[in-house]
Amino acid sequence: CRKNDPSRYFPWERLAREGFGIWYDTTNVTVPPQFDAMSGLRIIGYNISKPECAIQSYKIHFVPRDTTKTLSASDRKIIYNLAQQSL
């Protein structure tokens, strides 16, 4: 899919708290019904030409416990929050 990234065990959240990258906070987040999660992944820097690879890479980084290759309502909320931070 993508280049070799650090594993699911890499401390992405801790690094974001220390100012390296972004992290999500879905408290009080309402996702508009028209929000397209794949476009959101593109906004936060994922190559969406291979959607299954983009989803897998997103999950390794932001939701490491989830090994599925589909986006849930929770994922949509996270992606929406990250996309809003990136605009």
Side-chain angles (χ1 to χ4, degrees), residues 15-51:
L15 287 172
R17 282 194 312 263
E18 293 175 10
F20 301 98
I22 60 174
W23 200 253
Y24 60 90
D25 178 3
T26 56
T27 309
N28 300 318
V29 170
T30 302
V31 180
Q34 72 276 13
F35 176 69
D36 177 48
M38 291 308 297
S39 294
L41 286 177
R42 184 186 47 75
I43 289 168
I44 62 175
Y46 290 94
N47 177 348
I48 61 170
S49 64
K50 294 182 181 175

